[in-house]
Short mmCIF file of all heavy atoms in Angstrom, two decimals:
data_model
loop_
_atom_site.label_atom_id
_atom_site.label_comp_id
_atom_site.label_asym_id
_atom_site.label_seq_id
_atom_site.Cartn_x
_atom_site.Cartn_y
_atom_site.Cartn_z
N MET A 1 -33.37 66.02 12.85
CA MET A 1 -34.20 64.88 13.27
C MET A 1 -34.44 64.97 14.77
O MET A 1 -33.52 65.23 15.53
CB MET A 1 -33.48 63.59 12.89
CG MET A 1 -33.84 62.38 13.67
SD MET A 1 -34.89 61.11 12.93
CE MET A 1 -34.64 61.17 11.21
N ASP A 2 -35.69 64.79 15.15
CA ASP A 2 -36.01 64.72 16.58
C ASP A 2 -37.05 63.62 16.79
O ASP A 2 -37.43 62.92 15.85
CB ASP A 2 -36.49 66.07 17.12
CG ASP A 2 -37.75 66.56 16.42
OD1 ASP A 2 -38.54 65.72 15.94
OD2 ASP A 2 -37.95 67.77 16.37
N LEU A 3 -37.51 63.47 18.01
CA LEU A 3 -38.42 62.37 18.34
C LEU A 3 -39.76 62.48 17.63
O LEU A 3 -40.47 61.48 17.48
CB LEU A 3 -38.63 62.28 19.85
CG LEU A 3 -37.41 61.79 20.63
CD1 LEU A 3 -37.66 61.92 22.13
CD2 LEU A 3 -37.07 60.35 20.27
N ASP A 4 -40.12 63.68 17.20
CA ASP A 4 -41.39 63.86 16.50
C ASP A 4 -41.26 63.64 15.00
O ASP A 4 -42.26 63.74 14.28
CB ASP A 4 -41.95 65.26 16.77
CG ASP A 4 -42.36 65.41 18.23
OD1 ASP A 4 -42.93 64.44 18.78
OD2 ASP A 4 -42.08 66.46 18.81
N ALA A 5 -40.07 63.33 14.54
CA ALA A 5 -39.88 63.07 13.10
C ALA A 5 -40.74 61.88 12.69
O ALA A 5 -40.83 60.88 13.41
CB ALA A 5 -38.41 62.79 12.82
N GLU A 6 -41.33 62.02 11.51
CA GLU A 6 -42.17 60.95 10.99
C GLU A 6 -41.27 59.94 10.29
O GLU A 6 -40.62 60.27 9.30
CB GLU A 6 -43.18 61.54 10.01
CG GLU A 6 -44.26 60.57 9.60
CD GLU A 6 -45.29 61.25 8.72
OE1 GLU A 6 -45.06 61.36 7.50
OE2 GLU A 6 -46.31 61.70 9.27
N ILE A 7 -41.24 58.73 10.81
CA ILE A 7 -40.40 57.68 10.22
C ILE A 7 -41.17 56.92 9.16
O ILE A 7 -40.66 56.68 8.07
CB ILE A 7 -39.91 56.71 11.32
CG1 ILE A 7 -39.04 57.45 12.35
CG2 ILE A 7 -39.14 55.54 10.70
CD1 ILE A 7 -37.77 58.06 11.79
N CYS A 8 -42.39 56.54 9.47
CA CYS A 8 -43.22 55.87 8.47
C CYS A 8 -44.20 56.91 7.92
O CYS A 8 -45.15 57.31 8.60
CB CYS A 8 -43.98 54.68 9.05
SG CYS A 8 -45.02 53.88 7.82
N HIS A 9 -43.92 57.34 6.70
CA HIS A 9 -44.76 58.38 6.09
C HIS A 9 -46.11 57.82 5.67
O HIS A 9 -47.10 58.56 5.66
CB HIS A 9 -44.02 59.00 4.90
CG HIS A 9 -42.71 59.60 5.28
ND1 HIS A 9 -42.60 60.65 6.16
CD2 HIS A 9 -41.45 59.28 4.93
CE1 HIS A 9 -41.33 60.96 6.32
NE2 HIS A 9 -40.60 60.13 5.59
N CYS A 10 -46.15 56.57 5.29
CA CYS A 10 -47.42 55.98 4.84
C CYS A 10 -48.46 55.99 5.97
O CYS A 10 -49.63 56.24 5.72
CB CYS A 10 -47.21 54.56 4.35
SG CYS A 10 -46.26 54.46 2.81
N TYR A 11 -48.02 55.71 7.20
CA TYR A 11 -48.96 55.62 8.32
C TYR A 11 -48.72 56.69 9.38
O TYR A 11 -49.29 56.63 10.45
CB TYR A 11 -48.91 54.21 8.93
CG TYR A 11 -49.49 53.20 7.97
CD1 TYR A 11 -48.67 52.47 7.12
CD2 TYR A 11 -50.87 53.01 7.88
CE1 TYR A 11 -49.20 51.58 6.20
CE2 TYR A 11 -51.41 52.13 6.97
CZ TYR A 11 -50.57 51.41 6.14
OH TYR A 11 -51.10 50.54 5.22
N HIS A 12 -47.87 57.65 9.03
CA HIS A 12 -47.62 58.80 9.92
C HIS A 12 -47.22 58.37 11.33
O HIS A 12 -47.79 58.82 12.32
CB HIS A 12 -48.86 59.71 9.96
CG HIS A 12 -49.35 60.07 8.60
ND1 HIS A 12 -48.66 60.90 7.75
CD2 HIS A 12 -50.45 59.68 7.92
CE1 HIS A 12 -49.31 61.01 6.61
NE2 HIS A 12 -50.40 60.27 6.68
N VAL A 13 -46.21 57.52 11.40
CA VAL A 13 -45.74 57.02 12.70
C VAL A 13 -44.42 57.71 13.04
O VAL A 13 -43.47 57.68 12.26
CB VAL A 13 -45.55 55.49 12.69
CG1 VAL A 13 -45.25 54.99 14.10
CG2 VAL A 13 -46.80 54.80 12.13
N SER A 14 -44.40 58.33 14.22
CA SER A 14 -43.23 59.10 14.63
C SER A 14 -42.14 58.22 15.23
O SER A 14 -42.40 57.10 15.68
CB SER A 14 -43.64 60.15 15.66
OG SER A 14 -44.00 59.52 16.87
N LEU A 15 -40.94 58.77 15.26
CA LEU A 15 -39.82 58.08 15.91
C LEU A 15 -40.14 57.82 17.37
O LEU A 15 -39.86 56.74 17.89
CB LEU A 15 -38.55 58.93 15.78
CG LEU A 15 -37.32 58.37 16.45
CD1 LEU A 15 -36.96 56.99 15.91
CD2 LEU A 15 -36.15 59.33 16.26
N ARG A 16 -40.76 58.78 18.04
CA ARG A 16 -41.10 58.62 19.45
C ARG A 16 -42.00 57.39 19.67
O ARG A 16 -41.74 56.58 20.56
CB ARG A 16 -41.83 59.88 19.95
CG ARG A 16 -42.18 59.87 21.43
CD ARG A 16 -43.07 61.04 21.80
NE ARG A 16 -42.65 62.30 21.23
CZ ARG A 16 -41.75 63.12 21.77
NH1 ARG A 16 -41.20 62.82 22.92
NH2 ARG A 16 -41.43 64.26 21.17
N LYS A 17 -43.01 57.26 18.85
CA LYS A 17 -43.92 56.12 19.00
C LYS A 17 -43.20 54.80 18.73
O LYS A 17 -43.43 53.81 19.43
CB LYS A 17 -45.11 56.26 18.04
CG LYS A 17 -46.10 57.31 18.49
CD LYS A 17 -47.24 57.44 17.51
CE LYS A 17 -48.17 58.55 17.95
NZ LYS A 17 -49.07 58.97 16.88
N LEU A 18 -42.33 54.80 17.72
CA LEU A 18 -41.62 53.57 17.38
C LEU A 18 -40.63 53.16 18.47
O LEU A 18 -40.51 51.98 18.81
CB LEU A 18 -40.91 53.74 16.04
CG LEU A 18 -41.88 53.79 14.85
CD1 LEU A 18 -41.21 54.40 13.64
CD2 LEU A 18 -42.42 52.40 14.54
N ILE A 19 -39.94 54.13 19.04
CA ILE A 19 -38.99 53.81 20.12
C ILE A 19 -39.76 53.28 21.33
O ILE A 19 -39.37 52.28 21.94
CB ILE A 19 -38.14 55.05 20.50
CG1 ILE A 19 -37.16 55.38 19.38
CG2 ILE A 19 -37.39 54.80 21.80
CD1 ILE A 19 -36.37 56.67 19.61
N ARG A 20 -40.85 53.95 21.68
CA ARG A 20 -41.65 53.48 22.83
C ARG A 20 -42.15 52.06 22.61
O ARG A 20 -42.10 51.22 23.51
CB ARG A 20 -42.85 54.40 23.06
CG ARG A 20 -42.51 55.63 23.83
CD ARG A 20 -43.78 56.28 24.34
NE ARG A 20 -43.49 57.61 24.83
CZ ARG A 20 -44.26 58.66 24.65
NH1 ARG A 20 -45.40 58.54 24.02
NH2 ARG A 20 -43.93 59.83 25.12
N PHE A 21 -42.65 51.80 21.40
CA PHE A 21 -43.14 50.47 21.07
C PHE A 21 -42.02 49.44 21.19
O PHE A 21 -42.20 48.37 21.79
CB PHE A 21 -43.71 50.46 19.65
CG PHE A 21 -44.14 49.10 19.20
CD1 PHE A 21 -45.40 48.61 19.53
CD2 PHE A 21 -43.30 48.30 18.44
CE1 PHE A 21 -45.79 47.34 19.12
CE2 PHE A 21 -43.69 47.04 18.03
CZ PHE A 21 -44.93 46.56 18.37
N ALA A 22 -40.86 49.75 20.63
CA ALA A 22 -39.74 48.80 20.64
C ALA A 22 -39.26 48.53 22.06
O ALA A 22 -38.93 47.39 22.41
CB ALA A 22 -38.60 49.33 19.78
N ARG A 23 -39.25 49.55 22.90
CA ARG A 23 -38.80 49.35 24.28
C ARG A 23 -39.81 48.53 25.07
O ARG A 23 -39.44 47.74 25.94
CB ARG A 23 -38.56 50.70 24.96
CG ARG A 23 -37.30 51.36 24.45
CD ARG A 23 -36.99 52.63 25.19
NE ARG A 23 -35.75 53.20 24.66
CZ ARG A 23 -35.53 54.50 24.49
NH1 ARG A 23 -36.46 55.38 24.84
NH2 ARG A 23 -34.39 54.92 23.98
N ARG A 24 -41.08 48.73 24.78
CA ARG A 24 -42.13 48.04 25.52
C ARG A 24 -42.22 46.58 25.09
O ARG A 24 -42.41 45.69 25.93
CB ARG A 24 -43.46 48.74 25.29
CG ARG A 24 -44.58 48.29 26.21
CD ARG A 24 -45.84 49.11 26.03
NE ARG A 24 -46.45 48.88 24.74
CZ ARG A 24 -46.60 49.81 23.79
NH1 ARG A 24 -46.20 51.03 23.99
NH2 ARG A 24 -47.16 49.52 22.64
N THR A 25 -42.08 46.31 23.79
CA THR A 25 -42.35 44.96 23.29
C THR A 25 -41.08 44.17 22.99
O THR A 25 -41.17 42.95 22.83
CB THR A 25 -43.18 45.03 22.00
OG1 THR A 25 -42.43 45.68 20.98
CG2 THR A 25 -44.49 45.78 22.25
N ARG A 26 -39.95 44.84 22.86
CA ARG A 26 -38.68 44.16 22.52
C ARG A 26 -38.91 43.17 21.39
O ARG A 26 -38.81 41.95 21.58
CB ARG A 26 -38.11 43.45 23.74
CG ARG A 26 -37.73 44.38 24.86
CD ARG A 26 -36.54 45.20 24.49
NE ARG A 26 -36.24 46.16 25.55
CZ ARG A 26 -35.10 46.81 25.63
NH1 ARG A 26 -34.17 46.61 24.75
NH2 ARG A 26 -34.91 47.69 26.58
N PRO A 27 -39.26 43.65 20.20
CA PRO A 27 -39.58 42.74 19.10
C PRO A 27 -38.44 41.78 18.78
O PRO A 27 -37.29 42.20 18.68
CB PRO A 27 -39.86 43.68 17.92
CG PRO A 27 -39.29 44.99 18.32
CD PRO A 27 -39.28 45.05 19.80
N THR A 28 -38.78 40.51 18.66
CA THR A 28 -37.77 39.50 18.37
C THR A 28 -37.43 39.47 16.88
O THR A 28 -36.42 38.90 16.49
CB THR A 28 -38.26 38.11 18.81
OG1 THR A 28 -39.55 37.88 18.24
CG2 THR A 28 -38.35 38.04 20.33
N HIS A 29 -38.29 40.05 16.07
CA HIS A 29 -38.02 40.16 14.63
C HIS A 29 -38.44 41.56 14.20
O HIS A 29 -39.48 42.05 14.64
CB HIS A 29 -38.83 39.09 13.87
CG HIS A 29 -38.41 38.98 12.45
ND1 HIS A 29 -38.83 39.88 11.49
CD2 HIS A 29 -37.59 38.11 11.82
CE1 HIS A 29 -38.28 39.55 10.33
NE2 HIS A 29 -37.52 38.48 10.50
N PRO A 30 -37.65 42.19 13.35
CA PRO A 30 -37.98 43.56 12.94
C PRO A 30 -39.38 43.71 12.36
O PRO A 30 -40.00 44.76 12.51
CB PRO A 30 -36.93 43.88 11.87
CG PRO A 30 -35.80 42.97 12.14
CD PRO A 30 -36.39 41.73 12.76
N ALA A 31 -39.90 42.66 11.74
CA ALA A 31 -41.25 42.74 11.15
C ALA A 31 -42.31 43.02 12.20
O ALA A 31 -43.38 43.56 11.89
CB ALA A 31 -41.58 41.45 10.41
N ARG A 32 -42.03 42.70 13.44
CA ARG A 32 -42.99 42.96 14.52
C ARG A 32 -43.23 44.45 14.73
O ARG A 32 -44.23 44.84 15.33
CB ARG A 32 -42.51 42.33 15.85
CG ARG A 32 -42.32 40.83 15.82
CD ARG A 32 -43.60 40.03 15.96
NE ARG A 32 -44.50 40.46 17.00
CZ ARG A 32 -44.49 40.02 18.25
NH1 ARG A 32 -43.62 39.12 18.63
NH2 ARG A 32 -45.38 40.45 19.12
N MET A 33 -42.32 45.27 14.23
CA MET A 33 -42.50 46.72 14.35
C MET A 33 -43.76 47.17 13.63
O MET A 33 -44.31 48.23 13.91
CB MET A 33 -41.28 47.46 13.80
CG MET A 33 -40.03 47.27 14.63
SD MET A 33 -40.14 47.99 16.28
CE MET A 33 -39.89 49.73 15.92
N SER A 34 -44.26 46.37 12.71
CA SER A 34 -45.49 46.73 11.98
C SER A 34 -46.69 46.76 12.92
O SER A 34 -47.71 47.36 12.59
CB SER A 34 -45.74 45.75 10.84
OG SER A 34 -46.04 44.47 11.36
N GLU A 35 -46.57 46.14 14.08
CA GLU A 35 -47.66 46.17 15.06
C GLU A 35 -47.80 47.55 15.70
O GLU A 35 -48.75 47.79 16.44
CB GLU A 35 -47.45 45.09 16.12
CG GLU A 35 -47.55 43.69 15.53
CD GLU A 35 -47.09 42.61 16.49
OE1 GLU A 35 -47.06 42.86 17.71
OE2 GLU A 35 -46.76 41.52 16.00
N CYS A 36 -46.85 48.42 15.41
CA CYS A 36 -46.94 49.81 15.89
C CYS A 36 -47.63 50.62 14.79
O CYS A 36 -46.98 51.14 13.87
CB CYS A 36 -45.56 50.36 16.19
SG CYS A 36 -45.59 52.05 16.82
N LEU A 37 -48.93 50.67 14.84
CA LEU A 37 -49.75 51.50 13.96
C LEU A 37 -49.58 51.19 12.48
O LEU A 37 -49.79 52.05 11.64
CB LEU A 37 -49.47 52.99 14.23
CG LEU A 37 -49.67 53.44 15.68
CD1 LEU A 37 -49.19 54.86 15.87
CD2 LEU A 37 -51.13 53.31 16.08
N GLY A 38 -49.16 49.97 12.17
CA GLY A 38 -49.02 49.56 10.77
C GLY A 38 -47.73 49.99 10.12
O GLY A 38 -47.56 49.83 8.90
N ALA A 39 -46.81 50.54 10.89
CA ALA A 39 -45.54 51.03 10.32
C ALA A 39 -44.88 49.95 9.46
O ALA A 39 -44.79 48.79 9.85
CB ALA A 39 -44.60 51.45 11.44
N GLY A 40 -44.45 50.36 8.29
CA GLY A 40 -43.73 49.47 7.40
C GLY A 40 -44.59 48.62 6.48
O GLY A 40 -44.07 47.90 5.64
N THR A 41 -45.90 48.72 6.60
CA THR A 41 -46.76 47.86 5.79
C THR A 41 -47.32 48.56 4.55
O THR A 41 -48.14 47.98 3.86
CB THR A 41 -47.94 47.31 6.64
OG1 THR A 41 -48.72 48.41 7.12
CG2 THR A 41 -47.44 46.48 7.80
N GLY A 42 -46.85 49.75 4.29
CA GLY A 42 -47.28 50.44 3.07
C GLY A 42 -46.26 50.24 1.97
O GLY A 42 -46.07 49.13 1.48
N CYS A 43 -45.53 51.28 1.62
CA CYS A 43 -44.56 51.22 0.53
C CYS A 43 -43.31 50.43 0.90
O CYS A 43 -42.56 50.01 0.03
CB CYS A 43 -44.16 52.62 0.10
SG CYS A 43 -43.13 53.49 1.33
N GLY A 44 -43.06 50.29 2.20
CA GLY A 44 -41.87 49.55 2.66
C GLY A 44 -40.62 50.40 2.76
O GLY A 44 -39.57 49.91 3.17
N GLY A 45 -40.73 51.66 2.42
CA GLY A 45 -39.56 52.52 2.41
C GLY A 45 -38.92 52.77 3.76
O GLY A 45 -37.77 53.18 3.84
N CYS A 46 -39.65 52.53 4.82
CA CYS A 46 -39.13 52.79 6.17
C CYS A 46 -38.63 51.53 6.87
O CYS A 46 -38.16 51.60 8.01
CB CYS A 46 -40.21 53.44 7.03
SG CYS A 46 -41.64 52.34 7.29
N VAL A 47 -38.74 50.39 6.22
CA VAL A 47 -38.47 49.12 6.90
C VAL A 47 -37.05 49.05 7.49
O VAL A 47 -36.85 48.56 8.60
CB VAL A 47 -38.75 47.94 5.95
CG1 VAL A 47 -38.23 46.63 6.51
CG2 VAL A 47 -40.25 47.85 5.68
N ALA A 48 -36.06 49.55 6.75
CA ALA A 48 -34.69 49.51 7.27
C ALA A 48 -34.56 50.36 8.54
O ALA A 48 -33.85 49.99 9.48
CB ALA A 48 -33.71 49.98 6.20
N LYS A 49 -35.26 51.48 8.57
CA LYS A 49 -35.24 52.31 9.78
C LYS A 49 -35.94 51.60 10.94
O LYS A 49 -35.48 51.67 12.08
CB LYS A 49 -35.91 53.66 9.53
CG LYS A 49 -35.10 54.57 8.64
CD LYS A 49 -35.83 55.88 8.41
CE LYS A 49 -35.12 56.67 7.33
NZ LYS A 49 -35.96 57.71 6.76
N LEU A 50 -37.03 50.94 10.66
CA LEU A 50 -37.74 50.20 11.71
C LEU A 50 -36.84 49.13 12.31
O LEU A 50 -36.81 48.93 13.53
CB LEU A 50 -39.02 49.56 11.16
CG LEU A 50 -40.06 50.48 10.54
CD1 LEU A 50 -41.27 49.68 10.08
CD2 LEU A 50 -40.46 51.58 11.48
N ALA A 51 -36.10 48.45 11.45
CA ALA A 51 -35.18 47.40 11.92
C ALA A 51 -34.10 48.00 12.81
O ALA A 51 -33.74 47.43 13.85
CB ALA A 51 -34.57 46.67 10.73
N LEU A 52 -33.59 49.15 12.41
CA LEU A 52 -32.55 49.81 13.21
C LEU A 52 -33.11 50.25 14.56
O LEU A 52 -32.46 50.06 15.60
CB LEU A 52 -32.00 51.02 12.44
CG LEU A 52 -30.90 51.81 13.15
CD1 LEU A 52 -29.65 50.95 13.34
CD2 LEU A 52 -30.56 53.07 12.36
N ILE A 53 -34.30 50.80 14.57
CA ILE A 53 -34.93 51.22 15.83
C ILE A 53 -35.15 50.02 16.74
O ILE A 53 -34.86 50.08 17.94
CB ILE A 53 -36.26 51.97 15.54
CG1 ILE A 53 -35.97 53.28 14.81
CG2 ILE A 53 -37.03 52.22 16.84
CD1 ILE A 53 -37.19 53.91 14.16
N ALA A 54 -35.60 48.92 16.17
CA ALA A 54 -35.82 47.71 16.98
C ALA A 54 -34.49 47.23 17.58
O ALA A 54 -34.41 46.88 18.76
CB ALA A 54 -36.45 46.62 16.12
N GLU A 55 -33.46 47.25 16.75
CA GLU A 55 -32.14 46.77 17.19
C GLU A 55 -31.56 47.66 18.28
O GLU A 55 -30.90 47.18 19.20
CB GLU A 55 -31.22 46.75 15.97
CG GLU A 55 -29.81 46.31 16.22
CD GLU A 55 -28.95 46.52 14.96
OE1 GLU A 55 -29.45 46.24 13.85
OE2 GLU A 55 -27.82 46.98 15.11
N MET A 56 -31.82 48.96 18.19
CA MET A 56 -31.19 49.92 19.12
C MET A 56 -32.11 50.32 20.28
O MET A 56 -31.79 51.26 21.01
CB MET A 56 -30.79 51.18 18.35
CG MET A 56 -29.70 50.94 17.32
SD MET A 56 -29.14 52.49 16.59
CE MET A 56 -28.23 53.24 17.97
N ALA A 57 -33.22 49.65 20.45
CA ALA A 57 -34.23 50.08 21.42
C ALA A 57 -33.68 50.27 22.84
O ALA A 57 -34.17 51.11 23.58
CB ALA A 57 -35.38 49.09 21.44
N GLY A 58 -32.66 49.52 23.18
CA GLY A 58 -32.11 49.63 24.54
C GLY A 58 -31.17 50.80 24.72
O GLY A 58 -30.69 51.05 25.83
N GLN A 59 -30.89 51.52 23.67
CA GLN A 59 -29.94 52.64 23.75
C GLN A 59 -30.69 53.96 23.93
O GLN A 59 -31.88 54.05 23.66
CB GLN A 59 -29.09 52.66 22.49
CG GLN A 59 -28.25 51.37 22.36
CD GLN A 59 -27.30 51.42 21.19
OE1 GLN A 59 -26.71 52.45 20.92
NE2 GLN A 59 -27.17 50.31 20.49
N PRO A 60 -29.99 54.99 24.35
CA PRO A 60 -30.63 56.29 24.56
C PRO A 60 -31.20 56.87 23.27
O PRO A 60 -30.68 56.59 22.18
CB PRO A 60 -29.48 57.18 25.07
CG PRO A 60 -28.42 56.25 25.54
CD PRO A 60 -28.56 55.00 24.72
N ASP A 61 -32.24 57.68 23.42
CA ASP A 61 -32.87 58.32 22.26
C ASP A 61 -31.84 59.00 21.36
O ASP A 61 -31.90 58.87 20.13
CB ASP A 61 -33.87 59.40 22.72
CG ASP A 61 -35.06 58.81 23.45
OD1 ASP A 61 -35.26 57.58 23.41
OD2 ASP A 61 -35.79 59.61 24.07
N GLU A 62 -30.90 59.71 21.97
CA GLU A 62 -29.93 60.48 21.20
C GLU A 62 -29.09 59.58 20.30
O GLU A 62 -28.72 59.97 19.18
CB GLU A 62 -29.01 61.28 22.13
CG GLU A 62 -29.71 62.31 22.98
CD GLU A 62 -30.52 61.70 24.13
OE1 GLU A 62 -30.18 60.58 24.60
OE2 GLU A 62 -31.52 62.33 24.54
N GLU A 63 -28.76 58.39 20.79
CA GLU A 63 -27.96 57.45 19.99
C GLU A 63 -28.76 56.94 18.79
O GLU A 63 -28.21 56.77 17.70
CB GLU A 63 -27.51 56.27 20.85
CG GLU A 63 -26.43 56.62 21.85
CD GLU A 63 -25.16 57.10 21.15
OE1 GLU A 63 -24.70 56.44 20.21
OE2 GLU A 63 -24.66 58.17 21.55
N ILE A 64 -30.04 56.70 19.01
CA ILE A 64 -30.89 56.22 17.91
C ILE A 64 -31.03 57.33 16.87
O ILE A 64 -30.91 57.08 15.67
CB ILE A 64 -32.26 55.78 18.45
CG1 ILE A 64 -32.08 54.61 19.44
CG2 ILE A 64 -33.18 55.38 17.30
CD1 ILE A 64 -33.35 54.22 20.18
N ILE A 65 -31.26 58.54 17.33
CA ILE A 65 -31.38 59.68 16.40
C ILE A 65 -30.08 59.85 15.61
O ILE A 65 -30.09 60.03 14.40
CB ILE A 65 -31.72 60.96 17.18
CG1 ILE A 65 -33.16 60.88 17.70
CG2 ILE A 65 -31.52 62.21 16.32
CD1 ILE A 65 -33.54 61.97 18.69
N ARG A 66 -28.95 59.75 16.29
CA ARG A 66 -27.65 59.91 15.62
C ARG A 66 -27.45 58.83 14.57
O ARG A 66 -27.01 59.09 13.45
CB ARG A 66 -26.52 59.86 16.66
CG ARG A 66 -25.14 60.13 16.08
CD ARG A 66 -24.03 59.87 17.07
NE ARG A 66 -24.09 58.54 17.67
CZ ARG A 66 -23.78 57.41 17.02
NH1 ARG A 66 -23.37 57.47 15.78
NH2 ARG A 66 -23.87 56.26 17.62
N ALA A 67 -27.79 57.59 14.92
CA ALA A 67 -27.60 56.47 13.98
C ALA A 67 -28.47 56.64 12.74
O ALA A 67 -28.02 56.38 11.62
CB ALA A 67 -27.91 55.15 14.68
N ILE A 68 -29.70 57.08 12.92
CA ILE A 68 -30.59 57.29 11.77
C ILE A 68 -30.05 58.43 10.91
O ILE A 68 -29.99 58.31 9.68
CB ILE A 68 -32.03 57.59 12.24
CG1 ILE A 68 -32.63 56.33 12.89
CG2 ILE A 68 -32.90 58.05 11.07
CD1 ILE A 68 -33.97 56.56 13.55
N ALA A 69 -29.64 59.51 11.55
CA ALA A 69 -29.13 60.67 10.79
C ALA A 69 -27.87 60.32 10.01
O ALA A 69 -27.65 60.82 8.90
CB ALA A 69 -28.88 61.83 11.74
N GLU A 70 -27.04 59.45 10.57
CA GLU A 70 -25.82 59.03 9.87
C GLU A 70 -26.14 58.20 8.64
O GLU A 70 -25.53 58.36 7.59
CB GLU A 70 -24.94 58.20 10.81
CG GLU A 70 -24.07 59.03 11.71
CD GLU A 70 -23.21 58.17 12.62
OE1 GLU A 70 -23.13 56.93 12.42
OE2 GLU A 70 -22.62 58.75 13.53
N ARG A 71 -27.09 57.30 8.79
CA ARG A 71 -27.41 56.38 7.67
C ARG A 71 -28.29 57.03 6.61
O ARG A 71 -28.23 56.65 5.45
CB ARG A 71 -28.09 55.13 8.22
CG ARG A 71 -27.12 54.21 8.96
CD ARG A 71 -27.88 53.13 9.70
NE ARG A 71 -27.04 52.20 10.38
CZ ARG A 71 -26.44 52.41 11.54
NH1 ARG A 71 -26.57 53.58 12.13
NH2 ARG A 71 -25.70 51.49 12.09
N TRP A 72 -29.14 57.96 7.03
CA TRP A 72 -30.04 58.62 6.08
C TRP A 72 -29.89 60.14 6.22
O TRP A 72 -30.82 60.83 6.69
CB TRP A 72 -31.49 58.20 6.35
CG TRP A 72 -31.74 56.76 6.05
CD1 TRP A 72 -32.03 56.22 4.83
CD2 TRP A 72 -31.72 55.67 6.98
NE1 TRP A 72 -32.19 54.86 4.96
CE2 TRP A 72 -32.01 54.48 6.26
CE3 TRP A 72 -31.47 55.56 8.36
CZ2 TRP A 72 -32.06 53.23 6.86
CZ3 TRP A 72 -31.52 54.31 8.96
CH2 TRP A 72 -31.82 53.16 8.21
N PRO A 73 -28.74 60.66 5.79
CA PRO A 73 -28.46 62.10 6.02
C PRO A 73 -29.40 63.03 5.26
O PRO A 73 -29.50 64.21 5.61
CB PRO A 73 -27.01 62.26 5.53
CG PRO A 73 -26.79 61.11 4.61
CD PRO A 73 -27.64 59.99 5.12
N TYR A 74 -30.07 62.55 4.25
CA TYR A 74 -30.93 63.46 3.46
C TYR A 74 -32.40 63.34 3.79
O TYR A 74 -33.23 63.95 3.13
CB TYR A 74 -30.70 63.21 1.97
CG TYR A 74 -29.24 63.38 1.60
CD1 TYR A 74 -28.48 62.30 1.22
CD2 TYR A 74 -28.64 64.63 1.70
CE1 TYR A 74 -27.12 62.46 0.92
CE2 TYR A 74 -27.30 64.80 1.40
CZ TYR A 74 -26.55 63.70 1.00
OH TYR A 74 -25.23 63.87 0.73
N ASP A 75 -32.74 62.56 4.80
CA ASP A 75 -34.15 62.43 5.20
C ASP A 75 -34.56 63.58 6.10
O ASP A 75 -33.78 64.14 6.80
CB ASP A 75 -34.39 61.12 5.94
CG ASP A 75 -34.52 59.97 4.94
OD1 ASP A 75 -34.22 60.19 3.76
OD2 ASP A 75 -34.90 58.88 5.36
S1 FES B 101 -42.96 54.89 4.74
FE1 FES B 101 -43.44 53.24 6.06
S2 FES B 101 -44.52 51.87 4.78
FE2 FES B 101 -44.20 53.57 3.50
#
């Protein structure tokens, strides 16, 4: 997993874009992550990852990547 990994497959939104969005907007609710190119508004399969990214936005990229890889080791 790296920053170019596609987190939302429905809308082709990368981890890099989602982290940048979360740091810039500091979403008060995870659903606000959908304002980043529609992420999470298709099948919904990425919503848990979007919530984690929003929650961890203040942490270094490496920590976010590690947390995602731990929770979804087969993605
Ligand atoms: S993978 Fe993000 S909405 Fe389907």
Side-chain angles (χ1 to χ4, degrees):
M1 156 105 27
D2 61 28
L3 290 172
D4 293 319
E6 190 175 84
I7 298 298
C8 180
H9 301 298
C10 292
Y11 291 95
H12 309 291
V13 188
S14 69
L15 178 59
R16 183 188 316 274
K17 286 179 183 164
L18 289 162
I19 290 174
R20 278 196 193 141
F21 176 84
R23 287 185 179 142
R24 192 174 67 244
T25 64
R26 297 291 176 165
T28 52
H29 191 281
R32 300 280 314 269
M33 292 295 282
S34 67
E35 294 169 20
C36 181
L37 304 173
T41 61
C43 71
C46 64
V47 169
K49 288 179 190 162
L50 301 182
L52 180 64
I53 294 165
E55 179 188 319
M56 294 187 72
Q59 298 185 40
D61 294 347
E62 298 73 26
E63 288 298 312
I64 298 172
I65 290 170
R66 185 188 53 73
I68 292 172
E70 276 180 10
R71 287 169 178 79
W72 292 276
Y74 303 112
D75 280 11

